[in-house]
Amino acid sequence: MRKPRDYKSEQKALSEKALQLKERKLYQPGELVLATAADAPSAEQLAAALLSAVETTDTATKEVWRKRGVTFFQSAPRSA
């Protein structure tokens, strides 16, 4: 005989996982800022740089940025 599924516990587990994903989405940009030492410029400068990156349509520039990002994430682990 099959064991009945516990839908309440499954729903609770899914809700907890969704909450963890939301929290991670919230904290990861801040961790990235600290890992790249991007906390040195003012908040206004950092916001302007991000806005400029979003507005850039040059695919060659974006590809260079992507490669630098890959290199950064593949380098040795950084301390938080």
Side-chain angles (χ1 to χ4, degrees), residues 46-57 62 65:
L46 187 56
L50 289 171
L51 288 171
S52 178
V54 169
E55 294 168 352
T56 300
T57 57
K62 287 185 177 185
W65 291 344

Side-chain angles (χ1 to χ4, degrees), residues 2-74:
R2 288 171 81 184
K3 184 178 178 182
R5 290 178 71 174
D6 187 2
Y7 290 107
K8 257 189 178 176
S9 66
E10 288 180 20
Q11 178 66 33
K12 185 177 178 183
L14 286 173
S15 296
E16 288 175 3
K17 184 167 183 160
L19 182 62
Q20 288 174 347
L21 289 172
K22 282 183 183 180
E23 287 178 355
R24 187 169 55 179
K25 188 176 180 181
L26 179 69
Y27 289 113
Q28 273 184 337
E31 292 171 356
L32 185 60
V33 166
L34 294 176
T36 59
D39 55 337
S42 69
E44 292 81 10
Q45 289 173 324
L46 187 56
L50 289 171
L51 288 171
S52 178
V54 169
E55 294 168 352
T56 300
T57 57
D58 182 20
T59 55
T61 302
K62 287 185 177 185
E63 182 62 20
V64 170
W65 291 344
R66 188 193 67 76
K67 288 180 181 178
R68 285 186 69 191
V70 167
T71 303
F72 174 78
F73 284 114
Q74 291 178 347

